[in-house]
């Protein structure tokens, strides 16, 4: 018989809540276990919040956000939480009613407890540590948002951040549109590329791990032989974090960035002008010269590894000079000029490179704006969206608060000290925004 059936028999026999549930979950009654893992760091003062979880409507219970990696579906281990489940039922006897309503009609018993402890985690709030801020990931941002979301100063600051992000995105889109229009006019790329269907994922209330897992499930068997995955979306939707999670989860995964290609092309253009003894200007980048310079960039497999070779009198590989020559001031200050004129050339270069790597069995992850990713041919297209745009500003505000607070914290800073540092950072930034 199932644990649930055994649990029902114990109920009928009138056992104590702790004893009957301990037997059902296979937990010894002699152990003293807290209702939640000690590493969560919450105090007993917050236990009242746990007693209200059993009152949660079914759909709300099922739609809970995951705030901790150990509560992700692919990481969940019921055995590790069985003792805590015993204590939670002791704390709130009404919990068994919710259990019976949900299991097995809506979810399995294991899934019920995973969702329940997601609610526990959210109800307890966040325990701040310097390590959490140093991680700087979505767990950090979510923790700060939960702690400050009712703060009027935070709300106002986050709103300004949202407006700023939307404005910058619009400006970036305009610049991209200009570059793409020039590429179309030169005949480098078509005006209307044949874009495959895009799968849109609302990331509201989801961790980056959960979003990455959702994408992986939709990829099916493609990663086993290699594929190209494009991930688009506005700033603040979590593209970078999600790509990092995907790279860690997928076999032979590599993140592609156009940044070093733009830098390489800029290096070639500046070097050409220096040899000719002429100043570097937009007018010097004629279609003929750009065609010549692009021919001096070659992507391929060199000594068993994919890399970009830079010829044109340099004879170096990007992996060798990415943090030296390509970061020189003469390169950096001229990238915007080159980028505006060479969007089409770089788009084609990136697409060809991605095709080579995927054909070799690699999973190529490309993230950015739809305007450029539309020119990459792949059936694996995803877009991250937020049904509540205000969350974008909250995330950015949380990131800025975290970075600022870290500067004043000692390695053994307490929860209260970290929260005080975050509040101070918020006040300082809000006063000048």
């Amino acid at each position: 018989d199932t644990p649930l059936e055994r649990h029902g028999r114990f109920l009928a026999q009138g056992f104590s809540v702790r004893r009957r549930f301990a037997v059902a979950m296979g937990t010894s009654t002699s152990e003293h276990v807290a209702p939640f893992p000690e590493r969560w760091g919450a105090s007993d003062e917050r236990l009242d919040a746990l007693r209200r979880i059993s009152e949660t409507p079914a759909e709300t219970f099922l739609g809970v956000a995951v705030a901790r990696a150990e509560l992700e579906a692919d990481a969940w281990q019921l055995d590790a939480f069985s003792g805590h489940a015993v204590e939670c039922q002791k704390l709130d006897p009404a919990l068994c009613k919710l259990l019976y309503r949900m299991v097995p009609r809506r979810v399995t018993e294991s899934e019920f407890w995973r969702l329940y402890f997601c609610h526990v985690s959210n109800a307890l709030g966040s325990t701040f540590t310097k390590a959490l801020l140093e991680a700087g990931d979505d767990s950090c941002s979510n923790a700060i948002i939960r702690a400050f979301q009712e703060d009027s100063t935070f709300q106002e600051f986050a709103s300004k951040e949202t407006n700023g992000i939307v404005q910058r995105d619009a400006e970036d889109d305009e610049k991209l549109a200009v570059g793409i229009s020039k590429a179309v006019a030169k005949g480098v790329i078509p005006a209307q590329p044949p874009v495959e269907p895009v799968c849109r994922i609302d990331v509201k209330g989801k961790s980056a791990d959960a979003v990455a897992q959702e994408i992986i499930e939709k990829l099916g068997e493609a990663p086993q032989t290699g594929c190209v995955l494009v991930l688009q979306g506005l700033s603040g939707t979590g593209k970078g974090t999600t790509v990092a999670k995907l790279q860690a989860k997928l076999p032979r995964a590599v993140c592609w960035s156009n940044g070093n290609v733009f830098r390489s092309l800029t290096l070639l253009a500046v070097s050409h002008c220096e040899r000719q003894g002429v100043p570097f200007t937009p007018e010097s980048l004629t279609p003929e010269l750009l065609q010549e310079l692009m021919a001096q960039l070659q992507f391929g497999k060199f000594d068993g590894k994919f890399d970009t070779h830079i010829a044109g009198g340099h004879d170096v590989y990007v992996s060798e000079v990415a943090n030296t020559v390509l970061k020189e001031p003469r390169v950096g200050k001229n990238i915007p000029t080159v980028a505006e004129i060479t969007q089409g050339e770089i788009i084609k270069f990136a697409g060809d490179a991605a095709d080579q790597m995927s054909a070799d069995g690699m999973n190529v992850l490309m993230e950015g704006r739809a305007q450029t990713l539309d020119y990459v041919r792949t059936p694996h297209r995803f877009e991250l969206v937020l049904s509540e745009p205000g969350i974008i500003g909250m995330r950015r505000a949380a990131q800025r608060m975290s970075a600022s607070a870290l500067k004043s914290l000692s390695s053994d800073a307490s929860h209260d000290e970290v929260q005080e540092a975050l509040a101070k950072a918020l006040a300082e930034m809000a006063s000048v925004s």
Side-chain angles (χ1 to χ4, degrees):
D1 55 0
T2 67
L4 189 59
E5 290 170 339
R6 293 198 300 273
H7 183 43
R9 288 205 306 274
F10 284 123
L11 280 173
Q13 294 169 8
F15 278 61
S16 70
V17 171
R18 180 174 182 176
R19 171 58 183 163
R20 64 185 178 240
F21 200 69
V23 175
M25 299 297 293
T27 304
S28 169
T29 59
S30 62
E31 300 175 358
H32 175 70
V33 182
F36 45 82
E38 291 184 6
R39 60 183 174 277
W40 289 8
S43 65
D44 290 342
E45 298 172 356
R46 304 186 187 182
L47 293 182
D48 282 343
L50 273 60
R51 297 187 177 95
R52 295 191 292 271
I53 296 176
S54 60
E55 303 170 5
T56 306
E59 296 307 319
T60 303
F61 182 85
L62 294 172
V64 64
V66 182
R68 299 176 187 271
E70 62 192 308
L71 297 177
E72 296 288 352
D74 59 345
W76 170 246
Q77 294 182 345
L78 176 60
D79 289 346
F81 281 80
S82 61
H84 304 304
V86 171
E87 293 301 318
C88 287
Q89 183 138 335
K90 179 181 179 182
L91 184 70
D92 180 15
L95 185 57
C96 66
K97 296 180 181 179
L98 179 62
L99 175 69
Y100 286 157
R101 288 203 309 271
M102 304 297 292
V103 179
R105 185 175 302 174
R106 303 295 298 274
V107 292
T108 64
E109 188 172 9
S110 177
E111 179 65 2
F112 172 87
W113 288 111
R114 186 183 75 83
L115 296 174
Y116 174 76
F117 280 104
C118 287
H119 282 281
V120 170
S121 175
N122 294 341
L124 292 174
S126 305
T127 297
F128 290 118
T129 64
K130 185 177 182 181
L132 176 67
L133 269 58
E134 287 175 333
D137 56 11
D138 56 319
S139 295
C140 174
S141 297
N142 290 339
I144 294 174
I145 291 172
R146 285 197 301 272
F148 288 87
Q149 60 187 348
E150 301 301 326
D151 186 298
S152 59
T153 302
F154 179 79
Q155 293 172 351
E156 183 178 353
F157 182 57
S159 178
K160 291 180 179 179
E161 288 292 300
T162 298
N163 294 336
I165 291 170
V166 171
Q167 181 178 345
R168 287 192 295 273
D169 276 350
E171 293 171 353
D172 289 344
D173 284 344
E174 290 180 6
K175 293 177 182 177
L176 275 176
V178 171
I180 290 174
S181 294
K182 290 182 178 180
V184 171
K186 291 188 295 184
V188 178
I189 55 176
Q192 299 293 332
V195 183
E196 299 84 355
V198 178
C199 175
R200 290 176 173 81
I201 298 177
D202 188 351
V203 300
K204 177 189 173 185
K206 299 176 183 176
S207 68
D209 279 300
V211 174
Q213 189 60 38
E214 186 172 343
I215 291 174
I216 290 173
E217 290 173 0
K218 293 182 183 298
L219 288 175
E221 299 298 319
Q224 303 309 314
T225 55
C227 68
V228 177
L229 181 155
V230 299
L231 185 64
Q232 62 197 46
L234 298 177
S235 298
T237 51
K239 299 187 301 296
T241 305
T242 301
V243 163
K245 299 290 185 181
L246 287 169
Q247 186 175 17
K249 293 172 179 285
L250 292 172
R252 298 193 69 199
V254 59
C255 297
W256 175 266
S257 171
N258 286 339
N260 281 333
V261 186
F262 278 119
R263 287 181 176 275
S264 300
L265 187 56
T266 302
L267 172 66
L268 289 170
V270 171
S271 298
H272 171 82
C273 290
E274 289 173 348
R275 287 195 299 270
Q276 298 297 316
V278 298
F280 176 83
T281 63
E283 291 71 28
S284 65
L285 297 176
T286 63
E288 294 76 20
L289 177 60
L290 285 177
Q291 185 175 1
E292 177 185 335
L293 298 180
M294 286 302 301
Q296 295 170 5
L297 290 178
Q298 180 186 2
F299 182 85
K301 218 169 189 181
F302 304 95
D303 293 329
K305 295 182 179 180
F306 282 106
D307 207 337
T308 300
H309 180 254
I310 307 173
H314 294 279
D315 192 24
V316 295
Y317 295 93
V318 166
S319 62
E320 299 172 343
V321 297
N323 294 316
T324 54
V325 176
L326 296 185
K327 292 291 181 68
E328 291 178 356
R330 63 177 181 145
V331 174
K333 69 178 182 180
N334 290 310
I335 289 176
T337 300
V338 173
E340 181 179 335
I341 299 174
T342 61
Q343 284 289 343
E345 287 82 358
I346 300 302
I347 286 171
K348 289 186 64 176
F349 187 91
D352 292 342
D355 288 342
Q356 285 188 54
M357 289 187 285
S358 63
D360 195 58
M362 300 186 73
N363 291 299
V364 186
L365 312 177
M366 308 178 77
E367 64 103 347
R369 298 299 181 86
Q371 290 162 292
T372 55
L373 293 176
D374 281 352
Y375 288 91
V376 177
R377 301 278 58 80
T378 176
H380 310 295
R381 316 186 72 88
F382 298 88
E383 180 176 5
L384 302 188
V385 298
L386 265 170
S387 54
E388 291 187 13
I391 296 176
I392 293 177
M394 290 186 180
R395 288 181 173 180
R396 184 59 56 86
Q399 291 166 354
R400 292 187 60 189
M401 289 166 61
S402 175
S404 178
L406 269 174
K407 300 174 184 177
S408 62
L409 293 173
S410 62
S411 58
D412 59 347
S414 67
H415 166 84
D416 290 341
E417 289 171 335
V418 175
Q419 186 155 9
E420 183 179 347
L422 287 168
K424 181 179 179 181
L426 171 62
E428 291 175 349
M429 290 187 293
S431 66
V432 297
S433 64

